[in-house]
């Protein structure tokens, strides 16, 4: 692990309970790292994972990095205080979104494993930026290997379930109960799909969406 300190941090106000995964969304990893280290940017992350699997630590875990922005998850609004933030180098949707290379995903999995164990973070609280800010963000995106994390118990996985047949308002109520901000319903549904059903990102609530969400609620005992 390489240390590249960022001055962009302050003091946590709450205990660590979440892990947020991002992509850098810039044309190069070097440009992203320079930006995260720039005092003028007012942004940072605890870690950056390069395409070759190199991990940089930019903010100590004890400190509050500035990675989440305006966001919400399960009633938490100061997500920066409650979370560890990992930036994964990828140009993102704006600059030519590409699959995450295997060495990079291997490094992400190893880092997530360590952080989750160290802070006893529940799988449902390992989230993407799009989960906590559905009107603003798409990262880490539909190409990120969430199933790999879920298979290792590092991220949420739904219990077996049948379609509960909810109405659309019923689905949205269940989505809010699970943890999403549904102020913008279509964007919230797309964020859910991007995370849990990435093959079809249309914002339409269908039987597959209902089945997956019910399975997540069952798995959480909600």
């Amino acid at each position: 692990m390489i240390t590249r300190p960022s001055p962009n941090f302050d003091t946590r106000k709450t205990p660590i309970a979440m892990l947020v995964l991002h992509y850098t969304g810039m044309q190069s990893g070097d440009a992203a790292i320079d930006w995260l280290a720039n005092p003028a940017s007012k942004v940072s992350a605890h870690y950056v994972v390069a395409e070759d699997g190199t991990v940089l630590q930019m903010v100590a875990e004890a400190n509050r990095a500035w990675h989440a922005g305006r966001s919400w998850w399960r009633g938490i609004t100061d997500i920066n205080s409650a979370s560890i933030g990992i930036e994964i180098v990828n140009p993102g949707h704006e600059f030519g979104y590409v699959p995450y290379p295997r060495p990079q995903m291997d490094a992400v999995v190893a880092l997530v494993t360590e952080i989750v164990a160290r802070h006893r973070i529940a799988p449902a609280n390992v989230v993407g930026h799009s989960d906590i800010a559905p009107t603003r963000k798409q990262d880490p995106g539909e190409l990120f290997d969430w199933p790999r994390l879920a298979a290792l118990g590092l991220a949420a996985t739904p219990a077996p379930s049948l379609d509960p047949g909810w109405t659309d308002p019923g689905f949205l109520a269940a989505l809010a109960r699970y943890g999403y901000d549904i102020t913008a319903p279509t964007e919230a549904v797309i964020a859910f799909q991007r995370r849990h059903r990435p093959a079809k990102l249309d914002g339409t609530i269908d039987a597959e969406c209902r089945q997956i969400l019910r399975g997540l609620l069952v798995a959480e005992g909600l």
Side-chain angles (χ1 to χ4, degrees):
M1 185 177 295
I2 300 170
T3 301
R4 172 73 186 276
S6 171
N8 302 330
F9 65 88
D10 54 14
T11 303
R12 291 189 183 276
K13 301 174 184 177
T14 58
I16 295 168
M18 297 178 60
L19 175 59
V20 183
L21 302 179
H22 309 255
Y23 61 41
T24 51
M26 296 182 69
Q27 290 178 313
S28 74
D30 288 342
I33 292 163
D34 288 344
W35 184 241
L36 292 166
N38 186 340
S41 74
K42 303 296 183 185
V43 294
S44 61
H46 294 93
Y47 299 97
V48 178
V49 182
E51 295 99 329
D52 65 358
T54 300
V55 178
L56 285 78
Q57 183 167 25
M58 303 195 73
V59 175
E61 290 185 11
N63 294 323
R64 178 181 181 270
W66 304 341
H67 60 95
R70 187 178 71 257
S71 51
W72 193 95
W73 183 254
R74 296 189 164 187
I76 300 172
T77 54
D78 185 2
I79 288 180
N80 283 336
S81 278
S83 68
I84 301 291
I86 299 175
E87 291 276 359
I88 307 165
V89 174
N90 189 294
H93 293 82
E94 185 176 356
F95 295 109
Y97 189 43
V98 294
Y100 295 87
R102 181 61 182 263
Q104 187 177 45
M105 274 303 308
D106 289 346
V108 169
V109 168
L111 185 58
V112 170
T113 300
E114 293 173 4
I115 293 169
V116 164
R118 187 156 51 242
H119 299 287
R120 299 183 180 181
I121 299 173
N125 282 343
V126 177
V127 295
H129 205 181
S130 59
D131 293 314
I132 63 174
T135 63
R136 301 187 301 111
K137 297 296 181 178
Q138 302 178 73
D139 54 317
E142 59 276 10
L143 298 179
F144 184 74
D145 195 354
W146 285 109
R148 182 175 173 188
L149 267 64
L152 294 170
L154 301 173
T157 186
S161 175
L162 298 175
D163 177 7
W166 294 319
T167 62
D168 286 3
F171 177 89
L172 290 170
L175 193 61
R177 187 163 75 251
Y178 183 68
Y180 283 84
D181 179 0
I182 61 165
T183 304
T186 299
E187 288 83 354
V189 172
I190 291 173
F192 172 81
Q193 292 172 334
R194 193 181 302 280
R195 168 67 187 275
H196 296 287
R197 204 276 304 275
K200 189 177 182 183
L201 309 176
D202 59 359
T204 299
I205 298 167
D206 57 22
E208 186 178 16
C209 290
R210 292 190 296 267
Q211 182 178 349
I212 293 169
L213 180 54
R214 184 177 185 275
L216 289 167
L217 290 168
V218 170
E220 285 287 292
L222 299 174

